[in-house]
Structure formats: structure tokens, C-alpha cells
Amino acid sequence: MAITHKYTLMCDDLRREDNGKLLLIGMYTGTMGLPQLPFVLPSLTFVMFMDSDRPGHWAMKFRIQHLETGKLIVEGAGGMMFQQPGLSISPLKFGGIPISAIGDYNFVVNLEDHTDPIIVDFKIVLNLPNQQPNQQPLRF
């Protein structure tokens, strides 16, 4: 097999600093809290860490879907390029994603010549403000 999926991080954005370092902004740990529904995510990025045993280009199809309803939120196609064997980072950034329901979602990537898709599960919940009156912040 030419490409092996190592892991995927989900964040609001990924940027490259002048020194070449990557900067993850707003990383999620499996659950995304939204202030209201419906909501439009201005930016959502999936940072895939992949390993390849050879250089090459592979076509890919991807989608984000709400699992309970099966509704496709985003779908598209693109490609992944490895200039040399080894670990590579492949970010997929989406903008203006409409979210109308809480619940379980997944991000699915199908790579050319690979039978098993890459699947990243995540949950969207309402992040309601704390309703407790006179709550004092913790001070250290």
C-alpha cells in the first residue's frame, strides 16, 4: 500500500509561520461547541498526517456528513502529492460550512487505489452559556 493514514487533527485554521512552523488555531478534541443553530462555521480544517512509501499523486474525494440524517454538508474532490517517501501533512480547509443540527458527524476521505476510506468522527453540541448567577472566576 502506498499511503498510510497516521492521524487527523481538526481545527479552525492552519497557518505556516515565516520560519516554516505550522500553527494550529482552535484545535478540537472530538467535540465542537456552537453558540446557536443554525450556524455557519467560517473555517474548518482537517490536518491529515499521511505516510507514503513512494512519491506520486493520488486523487481523493471527501465529504462531511451528519450521521443521523445522512445529510451531506460538504463534498468535493482534489489530490494529494508526495514529492518523496515519508511523512506528509495534507490540510483540507473548508469555509462557510452551514450547520443546522447537533449530533454526530464524520469527515470521510476516499483515496484513489485504496479500498478503505479515512473516517474522522466528531460531535457538534450546543455550547450554552453558564446560567449560574454570581459565579466568581477562579484566581491563582
Side-chain angles (χ1 to χ4, degrees), residues 22-37:
L22 297 176
L23 181 64
L24 290 164
I25 300 170
M27 189 173 84
Y28 297 100
T29 57
T31 301
M32 177 188 303
L34 298 181
Q36 66 184 34
L37 290 176

Side-chain angles (χ1 to χ4, degrees), residues 73-86:
I73 309 302
V74 175
E75 63 181 329
M80 183 178 298
M81 174 68 111
F82 287 86
Q83 294 184 0
Q84 61 188 17

Side-chain angles (χ1 to χ4, degrees), residues 44-64:
L44 182 62
T45 304
F46 293 91
V47 185
M48 298 186 305
F49 291 76
M50 312 289 278
D51 193 40
S52 178
D53 62 2
R54 62 180 177 263
H57 180 270
W58 286 266
M60 63 175 12
K61 292 182 181 177
F62 47 83
R63 67 182 181 274
I64 299 173

Side-chain angles (χ1 to χ4, degrees), residues 31-40 99-105 123-131:
T31 301
M32 177 188 303
L34 298 181
Q36 66 184 34
L37 290 176
F39 190 83
V40 176
I99 303 295
S100 59
I102 60 171
D104 295 321
Y105 286 76
K123 180 181 286 290
I124 294 180
V125 298
L126 279 179
N127 191 14
L128 300 175
N130 193 343
Q131 300 287 328

